[in-house]
Amino acid sequence: MTPKTGTLTKIYISEKEYPVEADLDLIMYTEEIPAVEDPAEAISYQTTDMDGEEQSKGSKKATTPAIPVLYKSEQHDALKEKADSNKSYYFFIRYPQSTCADGEQPLVKSFSAQMDLTGDTITAGDIIKDTLTLYRNSSVRESHGLPVAPAGN
């Protein structure tokens, strides 16, 4: 049984920061993805001539999203081998085509991370459900379609 891919967000992994389609490995399907980055924390301040506190935008804290993933056993084996290597990989979260207008490329969020894979359950239809925890070590970039290397690189 293969999940209905038209309605699911796809997550890809690659060793390349600026891949072409052939460089991507579809590692999983998921119906929901937690935030891969949190908003910047607020910095509160007050001076003696102010009636109350005010805030400004601070820095963003690192996040460790835990993503429930669905796949077959051979996909699990390949991903587990990568997770156990403790290497950083590039991840690409491609939103469904249905989320954009005709002729547009769907939104893609990309970042570098190490990962851990823990078993969860086996669902109806013999689909394995694991939890993929990402230890993000780069900022999250957004593009429509796959990211493209800046000119001169």
Side-chain angles (χ1 to χ4, degrees):
M1 176 181 174
T2 300
K4 295 179 182 176
T5 61
T7 59
L8 297 176
T9 297
K10 297 175 185 175
I11 302 176
Y12 299 87
I13 188 171
S14 177
E15 293 189 16
K16 295 183 179 180
E17 183 175 8
Y18 300 105
V20 294
E21 289 288 333
D23 298 324
L24 297 175
D25 289 326
L26 176 64
I27 54 171
M28 65 205 79
Y29 297 99
T30 185
E31 294 180 286
E32 110 183 17
I33 298 174
V36 292
E37 65 180 336
D38 290 331
E41 290 193 349
I43 297 174
S44 298
Y45 59 91
Q46 183 176 6
T47 61
T48 55
D49 62 339
M50 296 170 63
D51 290 339
E53 268 189 357
E54 294 185 6
Q55 292 184 329
S56 63
K57 184 177 176 179
S59 61
K60 293 183 178 187
K61 296 285 185 184
T63 56
T64 308
I67 303 170
V69 294
L70 308 169
Y71 45 40
K72 295 284 193 174
S73 65
E74 61 273 9
Q75 291 167 298
H76 166 85
D77 294 345
L79 188 58
K80 183 69 173 160
E81 183 178 321
K82 288 179 180 180
D84 290 347
S85 75
N86 291 324
K87 285 178 53 179
S88 289
Y89 291 92
Y90 293 96
F91 290 84
F92 303 88
I93 300 172
R94 182 181 287 167
Y95 286 49
Q97 187 68 39
S98 60
T99 62
C100 58
D102 289 339
E104 289 184 351
Q105 291 287 321
L107 182 66
V108 174
K109 290 187 177 187
S110 59
F111 53 91
S112 173
Q114 289 182 305
M115 64 182 153
D116 200 7
L117 189 67
T118 52
D120 196 333
T121 58
I122 295 179
T123 64
D126 299 325
I127 298 290
I128 297 172
K129 181 179 178 184
D130 283 343
T131 300
L132 177 71
T133 303
L134 299 175
Y135 305 95
R136 193 170 52 81
N137 52 27
S138 75
S139 60
V140 176
R141 294 179 302 172
E142 291 187 1
S143 59
H144 288 277
L146 290 174
V148 178
N153 282 356

